[in-house]
Amino acid sequence: MNPAMNVIEIIQCKRDGGTLSAEQIRWVIGRYAADEIPDYQMSALVMAVFKEGLNADELAAWVDAMLHSGDVLDFSHVAAPKIDKHSTGGVGDKVSLPLGPMVAACGVAVPMMSGRGLGHTGGTLDKLETIPGFRTALDPPEFRALLAQTGLVLAGQSETLVPADRRLYALRDATGTVESIPLISSSIMSKKLAEGLDGLVLDVKVGRGAFMKHAEESRTLAETMVGIGRSYGTPVRAVLTDMNQPLGCEVGNACEVAESVEVLRGGGPADLLEVTYRLAEEMLLLGGAAADRAEARSRLERAVSSGAAFGKLVEVVEAQGGDPAVIHDPARLPAAPHHHEVTAARSGYLTRCDALDLGVAAMRLGAGRERKEDAIDPGVGLRILAKVGDAVEAGQPLVRLTWADRTRLEQALPLVERALEIGEERVAPPPLIHGEVS
Ligand code: URA
């Protein structure tokens, strides 16, 4: 331990609204990553940061300390531009699954490192692991080799990449300190910068089912992350997208893989298509694979209509040990045995389809985990049959629950019922794209 540094003084300084030096930040993050500072002291510091924030210099030092707490990857052996996409987390947000193959099929390499679902938000890794045999734990040499081979890797963060965030994120999740702009931005950007990318597209969610409930907060989060990228010379574009109601129709794990395959087959719900294409267009533009958005769009549409994007997903599933038969026939994916429909109590218009309540309901059914160590059930989920603004008739099914355990169903049902509201007047659906920051 450095005798000039004292963790209690660091906590007191931030608690009292003071400014930490870059050296103090480097020391405390480094020692915490090395397990030399206990969780109870780090919790106190993180709560102080949550309450008092970090100024620009402190944030820069915090990001840098996190980034250098582990390995920084180098994909310079891959000639294609390396562009990733990251979402701040949502309900029914399966965009990564169709987007990765679409973008890779257009010649942009996508080294996608994803996370698991926690709380009411889903995680790409949990969805991918419903594909029998699919391996998401790849060590850096295998990750590098697969990226060169297929141009798309869908995997989890390796043990050695930003270990400080691994500990800090779990701690924040358990101490009510997730929803903080400096803590979210440093967590996401340290991991993304460690991937050695040529560019990054951020999907910053806004609304009831997002960490940021209001457009101004999500814009500040987006501006903060874009600014961090700029200071490292990594171009970042952020798109603010709606998370007041779930994205697409499926909320769960295997069912979201099936809906993603539908998109790659040329179908899929309109809202999911709009967000997926918009983010994919940004990736092609950042990667220099299209001169403007119209060209990007037509390249992506061709990748889907020609079957190239679907073929890319099959190739990646095979390369990562998965069974491609379930991609060819998603009916073979795991599915729970029982169904229950929540129907409209009266005729009118759907005025609310609350992403937070529906996300928690899916978690209660077993699609997500309340604690990090919980196992998920790949085959349970919700199918959203009506969205805000839709006219509904009394008795019409609004949400179809696929369930395995009656106790869990009983916990989920009141949340689904609370999530839905029918009014006499039609309300306009929330806009899907709330803005962009670059
Ligand atoms: N996703 C992350 O990786 N970190 C956060 O803090 C929030 C969302």
Side-chain angles (χ1 to χ4, degrees):
M1 285 261 177
N2 181 342
M5 292 288 167
N6 180 313
V7 66
I8 300 172
E9 280 172 16
I10 291 175
I11 295 167
Q12 287 167 334
C13 170
K14 197 30 70 186
R15 179 199 67 189
D16 297 339
T19 301
L20 299 175
S21 70
E23 200 192 355
Q24 283 176 312
I25 290 171
R26 221 176 3 255
W27 180 82
V28 81
I29 299 273
R31 299 283 59 77
Y32 181 62
D35 211 5
E36 290 170 15
I37 289 178
D39 280 347
Y40 55 82
Q41 286 186 313
M42 202 61 183
S43 312
L45 177 60
V46 163
M47 184 57 85
V49 170
F50 185 92
K51 300 295 267 182
E52 297 296 327
L54 295 174
N55 71 24
D57 290 342
E58 288 176 306
L59 179 61
W62 192 283
V63 173
D64 209 58
M66 302 259 290
L67 169 60
H68 292 108
S69 67
D71 291 345
V72 175
L73 301 177
D74 174 11
F75 295 134
S76 53
H77 65 300
V78 177
K82 274 88 43 193
I83 312 287
D84 195 2
K85 188 275 308 180
H86 188 85
S87 155
T88 55
V91 177
D93 178 10
K94 70 280 295 168
V95 167
S96 293
L97 299 175
L99 168 142
M102 285 161 62
V103 172
C106 293
V108 171
V110 186
M112 193 172 274
M113 285 197 196
S114 307
R116 295 195 180 280
L118 202 58
H120 71 281
T121 64
T124 303
L125 291 188
D126 294 325
K127 295 168 199 176
L128 286 166
E129 286 174 0
T130 67
I131 301 169
F134 193 89
R135 291 183 306 111
T136 58
L138 306 177
D139 59 22
E142 191 180 8
F143 195 111
R144 283 167 55 83
L146 285 176
L147 188 64
Q149 181 190 322
T150 61
L152 168 64
V153 183
L154 300 167
Q157 189 189 335
S158 79
E159 291 288 323
T160 55
L161 203 82
V162 195
D165 184 64
R166 187 179 295 280
R167 293 201 62 195
L168 215 45
Y169 192 79
L171 187 75
R172 287 168 53 214
D173 193 57
T175 56
T177 50
V178 170
E179 302 92 340
S180 146
I181 288 175
L183 294 175
I184 295 177
S185 58
S186 56
S187 163
I188 292 178
M189 290 306 294
S190 59
K191 285 178 289 200
K192 295 293 132 184
L193 291 166
E195 288 179 22
L197 300 170
D198 297 311
L200 172 66
V201 174
L202 291 168
D203 181 3
V204 180
K205 299 288 186 197
V206 51
R208 282 274 305 155
F211 289 131
M212 298 290 130
K213 310 285 183 222
H214 305 289
E216 316 83 71
E217 292 174 310
S218 68
R219 181 168 285 278
T220 307
L221 175 63
E223 286 168 356
T224 307
M225 293 193 285
V226 169
I228 293 171
R230 192 176 301 122
S231 68
Y232 283 85
T234 303
V236 179
R237 287 191 189 168
V239 184
L240 313 183
T241 71
D242 189 72
M243 193 30 73
N244 283 299
Q245 54 181 347
L247 188 61
C249 299
E250 302 289 349
V251 180
N253 291 286
C255 61
E256 292 198 32
V257 173
E259 190 168 52
S260 305
V261 169
E262 219 178 298
V263 171
L264 293 172
R265 292 269 197 207
D271 59 346
L272 176 59
L273 293 180
E274 184 175 338
V275 174
T276 304
Y277 274 94
R278 176 58 192 271
L279 296 166
E281 284 161 25
E282 298 294 346
M283 291 174 80
L284 259 55
L285 291 172
L286 269 185
D292 54 33
R293 189 162 289 148
E295 186 190 342
R297 178 77 184 211
S298 80
R299 286 202 68 186
L300 290 160
E301 283 174 349
R302 234 174 308 127
V304 172
S305 62
S306 66
F310 177 82
K312 183 56 74 179
L313 179 63
V314 170
E315 187 188 348
V316 169
V317 166
E318 280 176 339
Q320 293 187 220
D323 178 3
V326 300
I327 305 300
H328 290 288
D329 179 12
R332 298 166 76 146
L333 283 161
H338 309 291
H339 302 287
H340 179 95
E341 282 176 350
V342 172
T343 54
R346 61 193 180 104
S347 299
Y349 296 92
L350 199 67
T351 53
R352 190 153 61 92
C353 178
D354 190 281
L356 179 58
D357 284 341
L358 292 167
V360 177
M363 179 184 76
R364 295 271 148 79
L365 272 188
R369 46 176 80 73
E370 260 158 277
R371 286 161 308 163
K372 246 174 116 61
E373 56 282 7
D374 292 347
I376 61 145
D377 183 334
V380 298
L382 310 177
R383 183 166 174 83
I384 314 295
L385 301 164
K387 291 281 187 87
V388 170
D390 289 354
V392 297
E393 295 287 330
Q396 174 185 331
L398 300 179
V399 173
R400 184 172 201 240
L401 295 90
T402 300
W403 61 277
D405 176 318
R406 186 167 291 281
T407 311
R408 286 180 169 279
L409 173 69
E410 282 162 7
Q411 289 172 358
L413 267 178
L415 286 156
V416 175
E417 281 156 6
R418 190 174 81 182
L420 306 167
E421 196 176 79
I422 297 170
E424 305 212 327
E425 305 277 316
R426 184 179 184 275
V427 297
L432 266 176
I433 310 288
H434 290 266
E436 60 181 62
V437 176
S438 58

